[in-house]
């Protein structure tokens, strides 16, 4: 197990280096001179050529691109992500400040999605091919096709602007999190519901369930004590895989609801052409995502003793 | 020798027949057929947009701004007096265009790299698969956002960014197919005759990989269209005044309270389109008897 984890961690560092390299390259493939773009953002329209040149030297834009990337990686090894090019805030501090908001949103959305998906999926599997099952699956197919930004606007229009039940933007109270979490949670629940249904159906067809029935256990005991435990295994991994979707969705949802998390920070920094902040966010999201998928794989092995990562086949 | 060839062909034919797209099965899948019909309808909208749309999608009439739906303007007008119905119809050109372009490019590139990776193996396989891992180990909408945003918004940036993030899915899929096909008797037998590896790949392996690629491609069009409109919605994709659905939604936000049809109709159009491709893709997959791929679903 430890060998496997070490191998995965090595892989993660390669992935992170690769992703940040892509973001770095995109920055320099972009039309326009980065030093000039930043100078414009800092000093406004009437700037002199000398201001641009000073900034170019001060921020290290005069070095070749690969040297700049190496310097950035060097700083990274000392956990130094640099300072924002626009506001001069420390990038790591800024990201750390935004992290709780994103984490809250992620947890709330995951809870909402499971609250919708698990009952729907279980009900669908138990009442297979009935009207109830079919309508659940139809709704979930429609759900996958609804873009979360439209769902968000719809919820704002209905709950915030028409009913005045919840605020349409901002951060702070429990009321603020309802609409963003509902947006992200419902759009995630569609796929989870289908997966829960498929997984439970597969388990219910297995021999040990038939055996349990033959021994005269009632359906409720069979479902809760025997079937669900195994049916939830793929759902757990899937919830982990959806973490990436969650982060991606958070970028959009945070922007709509002015939720002060990492996603909004990333979008704002792209607009401001704040390269060091963009790079920091990309790095942070990559780390978060890689570690979470590693955690899910480990959890999977812990939950299911049949899975061993070290054995060679 | 000829006997071997004949036997090879027989087993390959049997294998293909067993896997071949079952049109009867597909025809029975009502959702899938309606998906295909919806796609055909969308293609007609895109092709004949100038004839169907009652107004010029870019023409501004400031005296008739923010009108509610009427017979002249079926979906109403936006704040600049542009006909939303016409803009939504012209929007199919942009969204289907991006979807088809990205999927065509990524499926060809991804399939070729997957074939190469699976058939050659060795260092090349290792390098290609590590690159696939890197791109796939990151939420692809965010990667596309960063690339498109930094390159500067616009049609080509969106296509480039999405192409970059979407090809690995095909490479991984095809590589897996190749690895399982390589061990099949008909490929082994074909190799005994020592033709070039290109010949084997083209003649025996590629045709047997096509079906899952088509299913993935259909579902991918749905993904790409959502991603592209999300980018435009955030202001990092197609820019106003071009009638892209996502950027129309963004433009409608200030009027959400009073004239919500500004955001309602473009959103409905996105759902309609994505829905069509999801249905068709799901139906194709069911008639091919393929299990749902978790990784594709996860995104």
């Amino acid at each position: 197990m430890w060998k496997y984890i070490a191998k995965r961690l090595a892989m993660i560092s390669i992935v992170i280096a690769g992703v940040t390299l892509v973001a770095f390259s995109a920055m320099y493939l972009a039309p326009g001179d980065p030093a000039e773009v930043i100078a414009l953002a800092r000093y406004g329209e009437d700037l002199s050529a000398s201001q641009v040149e000073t900034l170019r030297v001060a921020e290290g834009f005069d070095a070749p691109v690969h040297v700049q990337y190496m310097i950035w990686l060097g700083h990274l090894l000392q956990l130094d992500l640099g300072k924002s090019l626009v506001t001069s805030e420390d990038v790591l501090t800024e990201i750390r400040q935004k992290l709780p908001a994103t984490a809250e949103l992620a947890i709330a959305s995951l809870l909402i999605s499971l609250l919708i998906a698990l009952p729907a999926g279980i009900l669908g599997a138990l009442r297979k091919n009935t009207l109830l099952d079919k309508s659940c699956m139809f709704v979930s197919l429609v759900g996958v096709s609804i873009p979360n930004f439209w769902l968000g606007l719809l919820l704002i229009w209905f709950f915030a602007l028409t009913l005045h039940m919840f605020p349409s933007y901002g951060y702070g109270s429990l009321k603020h999190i309802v609409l963003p979490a509902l947006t992200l949670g419902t759009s995630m629940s569609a796929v989870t519901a289908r997966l829960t249904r498929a997984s439970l159906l597969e388990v219910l067809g297995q021999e040990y369930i038939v055996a349990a029935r033959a021994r005269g256990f009632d359906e409720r005991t069979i479902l809760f004590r025997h079937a669900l435990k195994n049916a939830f295994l793929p759902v757990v991994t899937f919830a982990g895989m959806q973490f990436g979707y969650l982060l991606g969705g958070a970028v959009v949802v945070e922007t709509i609801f002015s939720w002060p998390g990492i996603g909004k920070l990333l979008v704002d920094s792209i607009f401001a052409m704040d390269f060091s902040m963009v790079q920091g966010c990309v790095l942070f999201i990559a780390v978060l995502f890689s570690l979470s998928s590693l955690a899910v794989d480990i959890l999977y092995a812990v939950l299911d003793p049949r899975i061993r990562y070290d054995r060679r086949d | 020798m000829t006997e071997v060839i004949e036997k090879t062909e027989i087993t390959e034919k049997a294998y293909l027949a067993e896997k071949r797209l079952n049109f009867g099965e597909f025809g029975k899948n009502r959702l899938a057929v309606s998906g295909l019909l919806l796609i055909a309808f969308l293609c007609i909208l895109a092709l004949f947009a100038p004839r169907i749309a009652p107004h010029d999608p870019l023409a501004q009439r400031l005296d008739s701004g923010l009108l509610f739906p009427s017979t002249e303007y079926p979906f109403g007008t936006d704040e600049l007096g542009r006909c939303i119905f016409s803009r939504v119809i012209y929007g199919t050109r942009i969204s289907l265009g991006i979807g088809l372009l990205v999927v065509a490019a990524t499926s060809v590139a991804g399939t070729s790299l997957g074939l190469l990776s699976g058939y050659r193996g060795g260092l090349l396989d290792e390098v290609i698969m590590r690159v696939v891992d890197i791109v796939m180990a990151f939420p692809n909408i965010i990667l596309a956002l960063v690339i498109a945003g930094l390159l500067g918004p616009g049609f080509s940036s969106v296509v480039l960014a999405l192409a970059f993030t979407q090809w690995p899915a095909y490479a991984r899929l095809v590589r897996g197919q190749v690895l399982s096909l390589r061990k099949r008797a008909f490929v082994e037998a074909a190799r005994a005759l020592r033709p070039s590896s290109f010949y084997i790949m083209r003649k025996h392996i590629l045709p047997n990989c096509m079906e899952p690629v088509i299913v993935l491609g259909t579902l991918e069009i749905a993904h790409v269209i959502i991603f592209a409109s999300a980018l435009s919605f955030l202001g990092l994709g197609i820019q106003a005044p071009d009638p892209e659905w996502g950027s129309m939604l963004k433009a409608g936000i200030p009027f959400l309270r009073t004239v919500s049809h500004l955001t309602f109709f473009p959103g409905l159009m996105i759902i309609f389109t994505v829905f069509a491709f999801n249905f068709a893709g799901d139906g194709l997959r069911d008639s091919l008897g393929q299990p749902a791929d978790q990784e594709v679903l996860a995104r």
Side-chain angles (χ1 to χ4, degrees):
Chain A
M1 192 64 162
W2 293 110
K3 225 178 182 175
Y4 169 77
I5 294 176
K7 223 172 113 189
R8 281 285 299 267
L9 285 175
M11 188 59 219
I12 287 175
S13 40
I14 298 176
V15 164
I16 287 169
V19 169
T20 48
L21 184 63
V22 169
F24 219 85
S25 319
M27 243 178 266
Y28 287 92
L29 286 175
D33 169 15
E36 209 177 305
V37 174
I38 297 300
L40 264 174
R42 259 193 218 173
Y43 311 117
E45 289 294 331
D46 47 317
L47 66 150
S48 64
S50 71
Q51 271 176 317
V52 175
E53 289 319 306
T54 323
L55 188 138
R56 192 190 307 281
V57 176
E59 299 294 351
F61 285 127
D62 51 340
V65 180
H66 60 277
V67 176
Q68 288 186 40
Y69 182 65
M70 285 324 225
I71 293 174
W72 185 81
L73 271 186
H75 285 296
L76 175 63
L77 290 179
Q78 305 158 35
L79 288 181
D80 173 17
L81 293 183
K83 294 200 182 325
S84 157
L85 291 173
V86 179
T87 59
S88 304
E89 293 275 341
D90 185 56
V91 170
L92 195 61
T93 322
E94 186 85 9
I95 291 177
R96 226 186 269 151
Q97 279 169 4
K98 307 283 182 185
L99 192 61
T102 298
E104 284 164 29
L105 181 61
I107 293 169
S109 318
L110 202 61
L111 279 179
I112 290 180
S113 82
L114 291 179
L115 274 178
I116 301 173
L118 296 186
I122 293 171
L123 220 63
L126 292 182
R127 307 258 180 282
K128 192 188 165 196
N129 287 336
T130 59
L131 188 66
L132 182 75
D133 172 32
K134 283 190 175 148
S135 39
C136 270
M137 289 307 112
F138 183 80
V139 170
S140 92
L141 238 185
V142 179
V144 199
S145 310
I146 297 180
N148 47 19
F149 45 91
W150 192 72
L151 188 62
L153 290 183
L154 204 67
L155 291 179
I156 288 180
W157 172 75
F158 188 70
F159 287 108
L161 299 181
T162 309
L163 295 182
H164 301 287
M165 275 171 75
F166 301 105
S168 63
Y169 65 91
Y171 174 71
S173 74
L174 202 60
K175 267 191 162 180
H176 284 96
I177 204 172
V178 174
L179 292 186
L182 209 58
T183 309
L184 214 47
T186 21
S187 61
M188 279 200 320
S189 66
V191 186
T192 317
R194 303 180 82 191
L195 187 75
T196 310
R197 176 181 176 272
S199 165
L200 185 56
L201 275 178
E202 198 192 315
V203 169
L204 284 177
Q206 273 173 15
E207 281 177 358
Y208 77 95
I209 298 291
V210 181
R213 266 198 199 117
R215 286 160 112 195
F217 287 122
D218 66 307
E219 286 298 315
R220 182 180 298 213
T221 320
I222 291 174
L223 177 67
F224 285 103
R225 302 259 326 249
H226 302 267
L228 282 185
K229 250 190 226 165
N230 281 328
F232 279 164
L233 272 176
V235 180
V236 169
T237 5
F238 189 67
M241 277 158 71
Q242 272 200 316
F243 196 73
Y245 178 85
L246 204 66
L247 286 172
V251 171
V252 177
V253 172
E254 283 177 6
T255 308
I256 301 175
F257 291 95
S258 299
W259 188 262
I262 297 198
K264 187 167 186 304
L265 179 67
L266 175 65
V267 174
D268 290 346
S269 314
I270 292 177
F271 274 116
M273 287 290 171
D274 189 345
F275 296 140
S276 54
M277 195 63 95
V278 172
Q279 192 71 323
C281 290
V282 167
L283 171 81
F284 208 79
I285 291 169
V287 172
L288 222 59
F289 187 48
S290 312
L291 288 183
S292 78
S293 66
L294 175 60
V296 168
D297 285 345
I298 294 173
L299 185 68
Y300 204 43
V302 171
L303 289 178
D304 188 345
R306 288 170 300 183
I307 294 172
R308 289 277 171 276
Y309 290 120
D310 288 337
R311 201 174 290 160
R312 280 162 196 231
D313 51 343
Chain B
M1 197 61 122
T2 43
E3 206 184 327
V4 175
I5 298 175
E6 271 168 20
K7 268 199 178 149
T8 318
E9 290 195 338
I10 290 168
T11 38
E12 183 165 7
K13 266 180 195 150
Y15 175 75
L16 273 176
E18 166 199 326
K19 278 195 56 178
R20 174 145 301 154
L21 176 56
N22 190 335
F23 279 104
E25 197 66 21
F26 186 77
K28 268 187 248 160
N29 191 332
R30 265 176 290 166
L31 289 181
V33 172
S34 46
L36 278 189
L37 288 177
L38 294 181
I39 293 175
F41 173 67
L42 285 165
C43 291
I44 292 173
L45 281 189
L47 284 175
F48 299 105
R51 298 205 173 187
I52 298 170
H55 300 274
D56 177 355
L58 301 178
Q60 305 181 2
R61 279 166 228 85
L62 291 175
D63 54 322
S64 53
L66 297 177
L67 292 181
F68 278 92
S70 62
T71 42
E72 200 192 345
Y73 299 103
F75 290 174
T77 61
D78 65 7
E79 73 280 14
L80 297 171
R82 293 174 297 201
C83 168
I84 293 177
F85 184 67
S86 307
R87 287 176 70 71
V88 163
I89 286 176
Y90 271 90
T92 47
R93 290 189 158 187
I94 299 179
S95 290
L96 289 187
I98 293 176
L100 293 175
L101 207 61
V102 169
V103 167
T106 50
S107 58
V108 171
T111 305
S112 318
L113 287 170
L115 275 177
L116 217 61
S117 191
Y119 199 77
R120 276 287 160 80
L123 186 65
L124 188 71
D125 177 34
E126 194 65 26
V127 170
I128 294 178
M129 283 345 270
R130 286 301 81 80
V131 177
V132 164
D133 283 341
I134 289 174
V135 181
M136 283 186 111
F138 199 72
N140 42 12
I141 175 78
I142 301 187
L143 196 57
L145 189 94
V146 171
I147 296 175
L150 294 177
L151 286 181
F155 187 84
S156 47
S157 300
V158 173
V159 171
L160 214 68
L162 289 173
F164 183 80
T165 57
Q166 304 305 107
W167 67 270
Y170 300 93
R172 192 177 270 184
L173 175 80
V174 170
R175 177 177 178 272
Q177 291 279 318
V178 174
L179 289 185
S180 76
L181 281 168
R182 277 186 69 140
K183 295 191 193 114
R184 293 262 171 182
F186 65 80
V187 177
E188 295 270 341
R191 273 167 58 178
L193 298 173
R194 301 198 179 282
S196 69
S197 12
F198 180 74
Y199 178 83
I200 293 185
M201 282 206 250
R202 189 173 60 87
K203 198 80 181 173
H204 297 281
I205 294 189
L206 184 62
N208 289 313
C209 295
M210 280 328 286
E211 287 171 358
V213 169
I214 290 171
V215 172
L216 179 64
T218 314
L219 293 170
E220 273 288 307
I221 294 182
H223 278 132
V224 168
I225 288 178
I226 285 208
F227 285 170
S229 57
L231 292 184
S232 307
F233 177 78
L234 292 173
L236 297 167
I238 310 294
Q239 304 285 303
D242 286 340
E244 205 279 341
W245 300 327
S247 61
M248 288 172 72
L249 278 183
K250 179 189 165 69
I253 295 179
F255 310 101
L256 196 56
R257 186 198 301 265
T258 44
V259 273
S260 40
H261 62 263
L262 253 60
T263 46
F264 189 70
F265 291 114
L268 223 52
M269 206 57 194
I270 300 176
I271 297 172
F272 184 74
T273 311
V274 171
F275 192 65
F277 283 101
N278 272 339
F279 269 21
D282 265 15
L284 275 173
R285 185 175 53 209
D286 289 348
S287 4
L288 290 171
Q290 288 177 359
D293 184 347
Q294 284 193 16
E295 271 188 38
V296 175
L297 288 175
R299 295 178 303 145

